[in-house]
Amino acid sequence: MNLEATSEASWLHDLSPRSRELLDRVGEVAAACAERADEHDRAATFPRKDFEDLATAGLNAATVPREHGGLGLGPLNGDTLTLWLMTKELAKADLSLGRCWEGHANSLVLLHALASEQQQARWFDGIVRGGEKWVAWSGEPQARKPGEGTRFGTSISAVDGGWVLDGSKAFATSATGADWAILLVNTAGPGGARHADGPPEGLLLLACDLSDPTVTVDDSWWDPIGMRGTASHVVEFHQTFLPEEHLIGTPGAYLHEGWQSAFTPHYAASFLGAAEGAFDYAREYLLRQEKTADPYVQQRAGSMAVNIDTAHLWLAHVARLWDGGDRPGAQRAGNRARHLVEHLALETVDHCVRACGARSLVRPSPVERILRDLTFYARHDNDDHVLATIGRAALGQTHDSSFFKP
């Protein structure tokens, strides 16, 4: 990663030498990942080789605490910005990869926050030494897609020694690539975390070994316009037994403690990566085509540069709040950053297309994929709900910082 070439280089120099070395290392991996992005997009396949490269480079355990052999990054380890900048670099190469990486890194944050010492010792070892990939799945939407006859959802029953799970989850990121999943399931019935009607205490986090033969993947459902490489297929559970030692934390802790708010600004880091990818393409293209004298092109380039800088500054601000222990402040600022960076990123890609013209949307231009991916991924967490939550907080009204409930 060429720090001097990036718009945020003026304050990147404040990062520790270790953080700068990690960003250089992830930049080298991201360059190879970018070469494979089109392949995964066209085939809607999980970026397995990308994760192998990350493990080989010693980067796959980014949010695992140092005492367990990880890099010790993220909001629980006092080094949040480095993690988010790593995510930005991977999303810049391939937004689908960035999403899969987010899911993995965020899952390890949950293990760090809620799992027992015995659970951490077991599962972190598999990540650090075995390169195992994790993800967290909640998606049980009750609305059907066009032409669909059934709804998704799971039902869970308590049995001796654990629980039995039946049903299906949609939008299951990394379905064909992950080794373990943290399942957000509800004793009140279908709906996972977002769509269930029961009390928070009904929400359980259960670790599931995805090599279990009772867990199958239906790859016929995932055919979206963008984020195809996330392989977010439907996963089906057929009387899947989940032992009690796989329960992570206490029932309802995910909602009561607002853990979603630790991940909200992480999404913004991925949005920023997509925007920076479009900006880099635009600069190179406009210079090569000698279009930089056009005052309208100059205005769009200026807008892109300001957007990129603004997004970096917001992420740095939220990261400082997390690292400083101001969790309420970090939650409020994280929601604002998530909302703002979505719009900055979408605007930046639009400026790129308008400055570079229609040929920027013709393959093999990466902008064509960036536009589709970012448009689709920005639907992850409804921005209307995010903004309404920000408004309720500003007005002093009761609000859920994770915007699960109105």
Side-chain angles (χ1 to χ4, degrees), residues 3 17-18 32 49 54 64 103 113 147 160 176 184-185 231 266 350 403:
L3 300 182
R18 178 175 183 265
K49 183 63 168 61
L54 286 164
V64 171
D160 288 343
T176 53
L184 282 72
V185 294
H266 204 173
D350 183 62
F403 38 86

Side-chain angles (χ1 to χ4, degrees), residues 163-177:
W163 295 266
V164 169
L165 184 67
D166 263 312
S168 59
K169 284 185 175 291
F171 295 102
T173 296
S174 305
T176 53

Side-chain angles (χ1 to χ4, degrees), residues 342-406:
E342 173 186 324
H343 293 274
L344 293 174
L346 289 167
E347 183 182 272
T348 296
V349 175
D350 183 62
H351 283 315
C352 169
V353 172
R354 290 178 183 275
C356 298
R359 70 183 67 187
S360 66
L361 296 177
V362 178
R363 287 171 168 170
S365 163
V367 177
E368 180 268 345
R369 186 185 69 254
I370 290 171
L371 176 62
R372 288 187 290 105
D373 284 352
L374 183 60
T375 300
F376 191 90
Y377 190 29
R379 306 282 71 75
H380 184 61
D381 287 335
N382 186 320
D383 185 57
D384 291 339
H385 290 183
V386 177
L387 187 56
T389 297
I390 295 169
R392 282 191 289 273
L395 293 170
Q397 296 183 355
T398 300
H399 64 282
D400 179 349
S401 61
S402 298
F403 38 86
F404 281 102
K405 300 175 182 178

Side-chain angles (χ1 to χ4, degrees), residues 40-61:
H40 292 301
D41 173 66
R42 290 175 186 259
T45 52
F46 176 78
R48 189 177 304 276
K49 183 63 168 61
D50 297 350
F51 272 86
E52 291 174 357
D53 287 354
L54 286 164
T56 299
L59 299 167
N60 65 305

